[in-house]
Amino acid sequence: MEAIELARAIRSRDPARPSWPEAILCYAGLHAVLWHRLAHALWRAGMKGLARFVSHIGRFLTGIEIHPGARIGRRLFIDHGMGVVIGETAEIGDDVLIYHGVTLGGLSGQPGKRHPTIGNGVAIGAGAQVLGPIVVGEGARIGANAVVTKEVPPHCTVVGIPARPPAGSICADPTVGYGLTHPEDDPVGEQLAAMRAELAALRARVAELERQPETTR
């Protein structure tokens, strides 16, 4: 029974270590996947209007929006879950971890494949946006609030906007959760630090020029 398999995955991966009743009754991510299974079966049977209605009920009850056309593998763990959006042509492998606020969205309004393909064992941090018909390789990690529009190699960690490996990363870090290997790995912070250093140098140069006599300027 899939509910039991999902609950087992939750109990093994969630640091809160919920009891069996908690895992089955109190995790919106589990309920969202079960609602999606029904909606997806109806979608494949050609009853697309009814599939969308069932999907809408699941969204109303869980706060997680999964298009009935999306393909989802086994043991998907959507932790917390509120605000997750998964598009029609998205494909998700087995044992994937998704936190709240994640979007698996498209960049084009044209028909056809327009949403990401997520490999087995991928972890996607809170608020991350994975956009377009790209492939996120097996075991990859996407940091919180990252914006991903290009392919992510297997077992690679990416962070920031646009998403890329942290400074000094060999793109093979196995860290789970939010995808951050070290607290100091912050691409935006690196850029701000470089700008501050440049500004300080310019201020020092201006001060030096102001101290020089008029005749030497």
Side-chain angles (χ1 to χ4, degrees):
M1 186 177 180
E2 185 168 16
I4 299 299
E5 184 177 53
L6 290 168
R8 184 179 294 114
I10 290 170
R11 296 188 74 230
S12 66
R13 303 186 75 178
D14 190 344
R17 297 294 184 265
S19 65
W20 279 101
E22 284 179 301
I24 293 173
L25 299 176
C26 302
Y27 278 73
L30 181 149
H31 305 153
V33 171
L34 296 180
W35 277 106
H36 173 72
R37 297 300 189 207
L38 174 58
H40 186 65
L42 293 169
W43 183 268
R44 290 175 60 86
M47 294 180 280
K48 295 190 174 181
L50 183 56
R52 292 298 298 269
F53 180 68
V54 170
S55 178
H56 186 68
I57 292 174
R59 175 178 177 270
F60 176 78
L61 294 174
T62 65
I64 298 168
E65 181 174 344
I66 308 176
H67 192 285
R71 299 181 182 181
I72 293 177
R74 298 174 63 181
R75 297 177 296 276
L76 170 63
F77 180 18
I78 304 176
D79 198 7
H80 303 293
M82 183 63 69
V84 167
V85 177
I86 299 175
E88 176 187 1
T89 62
E91 300 174 59
I92 300 175
D94 299 335
D95 301 305
V96 170
L97 170 62
I98 296 177
Y99 286 92
H100 50 284
V102 166
T103 298
L104 304 183
L107 291 173
S108 169
Q110 301 300 317
K113 175 67 172 172
R114 58 189 187 280
H115 299 99
T117 297
I118 308 298
N120 297 336
V122 170
I124 306 178
Q129 312 295 302
V130 187
L131 307 174
I134 61 175
V135 175
V136 177
E138 179 176 349
R141 300 292 183 262
I142 297 174
N145 296 316
V147 177
V148 185
T149 58
K150 296 182 179 180
E151 308 268 320
V152 179
H155 307 290
C156 181
T157 295
V158 295
V159 297
I161 304 174
R164 64 184 189 275
S169 171
I170 59 172
C171 210
D173 183 86
T175 305
V176 298
Y178 288 96
L180 294 174
T181 55
H182 303 286
E184 63 269 21
D185 287 337
D186 180 4
V188 176
E190 291 171 9
Q191 294 179 14
L192 289 174
M195 292 174 64
R196 290 193 186 102
E198 184 175 355
L199 180 59
L202 289 172
R203 284 176 172 169
R205 179 56 178 162
V206 169
E208 181 183 351
L209 291 172
E210 288 178 343
R211 287 195 299 268
Q212 294 178 3
E214 289 288 340
T215 56
T216 60
R217 292 184 185 179

